[in-house]
Amino acid sequence: MPEATRPPYAPADILTPDRDVTHRHFRPGDQVVVLKGAAGHELWGDAYKVVTASWHTPTDEDGWRLYDPNGGERTYITAHPRYLVHLSRRCPDCLIHQQALATYLLPRLAGTGEVVDCSWYSVTELNQLVHIADARGGR
């Protein structure tokens, strides 16, 4: 897949920060995606495998340790459950969230024809994935 670009105006993610999904929603072995933007007329993100429970320091809540099968600089990261969407099973909560995000985001990025990373996420020095709405100074 080509390198993601950032458009001059990237819409804010107004849905994920308010998503009410618990730690128990996921389990080790689940295949998940962190949705980060769009590729043409589809949502785009990074795929991971859920490994084990792990404390998510940026939110001070239970999170999940994720394995990136592509390796790279950060093979393992920790993420909050609200960032994750199932790939390995079709659960109603994840499908509803994915559809709502697509309905909100895709029309705003129509016509770009590129892979667009909306820059909603960053990774801390402790390999903690953090959503821009969850970022706190000093963590």
Side-chain angles (χ1 to χ4, degrees):
M1 180 169 278
E3 188 70 26
T5 62
R6 181 154 170 36
Y9 167 73
D13 178 4
I14 60 171
L15 302 172
T16 302
D18 293 329
R19 186 172 179 216
D20 185 22
V21 63
T22 67
H23 185 262
R24 293 184 313 267
H25 186 80
F26 299 96
R27 58 183 171 249
D30 283 349
Q31 301 292 323
V32 297
V33 63
V34 175
L35 298 170
K36 298 170 51 176
H41 300 291
E42 296 180 7
L43 294 176
W44 168 83
D46 293 331
Y48 298 95
K49 180 179 179 181
V50 175
V51 179
T52 190
S54 181
W55 191 250
H56 188 249
T57 305
T59 60
D60 288 330
E61 295 178 14
D62 287 329
W64 285 105
R65 193 75 166 156
L66 307 176
Y67 168 72
D68 181 349
N70 298 314
E73 184 180 337
R74 293 183 171 97
T75 304
Y76 292 94
I77 62 171
T78 298
H80 194 283
R82 72 175 149 255
Y83 307 161
L84 311 178
V85 173
H86 275 111
L87 287 175
S88 56
R89 56 186 169 108
R90 298 180 56 85
C91 71
D93 178 78
C94 288
L95 290 172
I96 289 168
H97 178 69
Q98 185 174 355
Q99 182 59 46
L101 194 57
T103 299
Y104 167 75
L105 180 64
L106 295 178
R108 287 165 174 77
L109 297 177
T112 62
E114 300 175 348
V115 177
V116 177
D117 183 344
C118 291
S119 299
W120 298 328
Y121 294 95
S122 60
V123 178
T124 71
E125 63 278 353
L126 298 175
N127 288 333
Q128 302 269 322
L129 185 68
V130 61
H131 191 280
I132 194 166
D134 292 331
R136 295 187 298 205
R139 289 230 171 157

